[in-house]
Amino acid sequence: MESIQEPSNTEELRVTFYPELYLQRRIWILDMLRKEGVTKVLDVGCGEGQLLSSLAQPSPWLAPPPPSVLPPAPTSTELADDSILSPSYNDDEVPNLHMTEIHGLDISDEDLQFAIEAVKPPKQDDEIPNSPGHRFFHTSMQRWEDLSAKIWKGGLQTINNEFIDIECIVSTEVIEHLPNDVFPAFSAMLLGVYHPKYFLVTTPSYTFNARFTAPDAPRSARKGYPDPTGRTDRIFRHDDHKFEWTREEFASWCEDSAKEWGYKVNYTTIGRAQQKDLWGRDAELGGASQVAIFTRLDDDSKWREDKGRAAIAALGLVSEPHQLMASFKHEATAAAMKPQSLEFIARRVKGKMEEYRETFMRVEEMWFEREISDLCGGWIEMLVRAIEESPDLNLKRDVGGVRRGQSMWSIEIPGGVGSPVQQWNELASEDVPPEWSPYEGHYDDSDIEGDVSADTEGDDEESGQEDDSNVGWGTIPDSYLAAAPEDEKKAAWSEWGTWEANTLSTTATGWDADESGITTS
């Protein structure tokens, strides 16, 4: 049996991460922002704006509406069964971010050009074609909240009054790049002058660097960059790093800074190697990046700001005012926070499902029908409540008795959808052979010249037939026309022409008509 050779102690070990380490840091930051419900962020050392690009994306829906818009649902004791109507839609899911203000600060002109592109408002969609029964999946997501995005050029040592008392500051792999004279301004400026409610910071872990070599490896086995300051004999990961802290050193800095500026702090490491360490050091060395979240202890921050300003002034650093490189306003859609009635929302939901010939649709699939989300004013809870209260729809939270997460909830039309009669009046009757069925595919006959849908107006006049050129090809559900107000009926008839519909008796079961026989939740 061939033995497995251990790596030579003179070679650097293979260490990889999944997801990539920079993505793990970004995920941690986004998770913290979601957890705390942050809406305003300053990214110090934003670079090319990768984090800002994520923060600039619109939330798919608004935070739950206030009771004045959607009154509290009945409790379980008030209902016939054990269900609870319309909980906050994200109760058991990852909450969405609802950003209203983001700033990026960096000193690199080149990087900032990319950051500007990252936060620009997207181009507006072309008007969506109005074609009954046809679904469009290429439209961009609606924006339900205004967002202000600003990109600044300047150094950390300069006070920017726009950043004072901002909700959250993020510093990702920045502190280790600071020159010796600027480093003392880091805590004084960010935790003192600006005193955010939350401060998120990440930096490399020098402790983890031992993972790149065997325990008995000579110094020459480690590839990297010697400490440029000459203060230590350490080998760093990047040629611009002025230091890399051990886990103990990072913990000490966190505790001292939190105590000085009135914060509590929690710190840990992230980024474990995919490969198992042959010497069992994984737990001891921790992750490749150290992360910490500082939370301000109180709202009385005048003393923090005064103390911070004094500390910055005492450093005597040369500074220039920050330059505003770009400022953008992402405007919310006009329909935001202007919901229609629950009855009308439910009627249009059913109409959409009948138009698409769907007995079942996922709630979120229906939500991304722009008309529906607009009718709800951006509150998905309005859609859920409308479905629950409609006598014509079922909200299915489970399948086969198994409760599903909200992202898998579905809408059902009990008994299936109607079967509209197709209108063929635009075809001349002599052009369609009697043996041809519309369900057998495209008809092609070499004896017919041109398009079979060619203008037949002249033939109609000669035969005495009425002009049916206003007849449409799509479908409009009879249930919608029966329930719609008179002005809506007129608009629908005017737009689609003459319509006929009958019902198709179906036994709709499960998600896609499975054999469970269950049609109600």
Side-chain angles (χ1 to χ4, degrees), residues 172-183:
T172 308
E173 309 294 282
V174 170
I175 190 171
E176 65 275 6
H177 292 273
L178 297 178
N180 294 340
D181 59 337
V182 177
F183 174 77

Side-chain angles (χ1 to χ4, degrees), residues 393-426:
L393 301 170
N394 282 339
L395 178 66
K396 297 181 69 66
R397 296 185 179 89
D398 53 50
V399 174
V402 178
R403 180 60 64 101
R404 292 180 176 267
Q406 282 133 326
S407 62
M408 296 302 294
W409 287 0
S410 65
I411 313 165
E412 176 195 26
I413 298 180
V417 298
S419 178
V421 174
Q422 292 289 343
Q423 307 295 322
W424 296 98
N425 307 65
E426 290 185 352

Side-chain angles (χ1 to χ4, degrees), residues 79-96:
L79 298 173
D81 55 21
D82 293 330
S83 63
I84 300 177
L85 289 177
S86 302
S88 173
Y89 192 76
N90 275 319
D91 272 355
D92 63 355
E93 304 284 345
V94 177
N96 293 308

